[in-house]
Amino acid sequence: AQSVTQLDSHVSVSEGTPVLLRCNYSSSYSPSLFWYVQHPNKGLQLLLKYTSAATLVKGINGFEAEFKKSETSFHLTKPSAHMSDAAEYFCVVSPVGGGSYIPTFGRGTSLIVHP
Amino acid sequence: GAGVSQSPSNKVTEKGKDVELRCDPISGHTALYWYRQSLGQGLEFLIYFQGNSAPDKSGLPSDRFSAERTGGSVSTLTIQRTQQEDSAVYLCASSPPGLEVYNEQFFGPGTRLTVL
């Protein structure tokens, strides 16, 4: 079994300040982990993914995430928020092993960026 | 190249009617997923195709929901006798060949279904 918990439903930051979106997971198998972004009325787009290589993963638009097995976390960060970062962000876990190809999505975190 | 496309983009229907939602995946992508996204919720998995076969239909909420995929390409999600609780955005995603658990999913823009 696997699950994903996004700890904040909304995060509000000012433009130019750091962003932290928190994600904890549980998985019976070694997971692959993903962050997707969804802008209003658009489909989801991959930001970055962890697939058992380097634990610090860099993605598009200056985002990065660190896989911490001991904490079962995969938090998303960005040093400086931009207005265009305002969107919904989804953390996703996909189990490696167990015969299941079905990823589990978190409920999402809405990032609000103030000028 | 072209991304995943879905049609219609919006569908308004009356309770009790049947609807068909279409997904055109990226050419060459073997895996195809359907999800449902309700307001303020995450994505709810509905069904997964590998080629034309559906090894996992566990997410279909009732027997009113069915899906098929033909030619390893286009997929259709059919909802019979629609209910108001079926109102949601239906998202389709496809993945290229390889180990799906490592693969990025490419999402379409979704179909917004409203059942009156």
Side-chain angles (χ1 to χ4, degrees), chain A residues 37-85:
Chain A
V37 60
Q38 185 179 31
H39 288 93
N41 300 314
K42 296 286 180 67
L44 279 74
Q45 178 187 16
L46 181 71
L47 273 180
L48 49 80
K49 65 179 180 180
Y50 165 78
T51 58
S52 78
T55 56
L56 182 62
V57 181
K58 294 187 184 299
I60 61 171
N61 300 335
F63 284 93
E64 61 182 38
E66 185 172 8
F67 173 69
K68 292 187 176 181
K69 186 174 181 179
S70 61
E71 298 176 9
T72 61
S73 69
F74 191 57
H75 301 334
L76 182 70
T77 60
K78 182 173 180 177
S80 176
H82 191 272
M83 295 296 292
S84 61
D85 294 328

Side-chain angles (χ1 to χ4, degrees), chain A residues 32 34 36 38 41-46 49 51-52 88 90 94-97 100-103 105-108, chain B residues 33 35 37 40-43 45 47-48 50 55-56 58 91 99-110 112:
Chain A
S32 290
F34 305 77
Y36 285 84
Q38 185 179 31
N41 300 314
K42 296 286 180 67
L44 279 74
Q45 178 187 16
L46 181 71
K49 65 179 180 180
T51 58
S52 78
E88 192 82 13
F90 294 95
S94 186
V96 180
S100 171
Y101 301 121
I102 308 307
F105 283 72
R107 288 189 161 228
Chain B
Y33 302 78
Y35 297 92
Q37 184 177 27
Q41 302 294 312
L43 270 67
F45 166 76
I47 189 169
Y48 155 72
Q50 180 59 249
D56 195 323
S58 63
L91 292 168
L99 291 174
E100 284 90 355
V101 290
Y102 295 126
N103 277 348
E104 172 183 358
Q105 294 186 43
F106 294 79
F107 282 83
R112 182 176 298 277

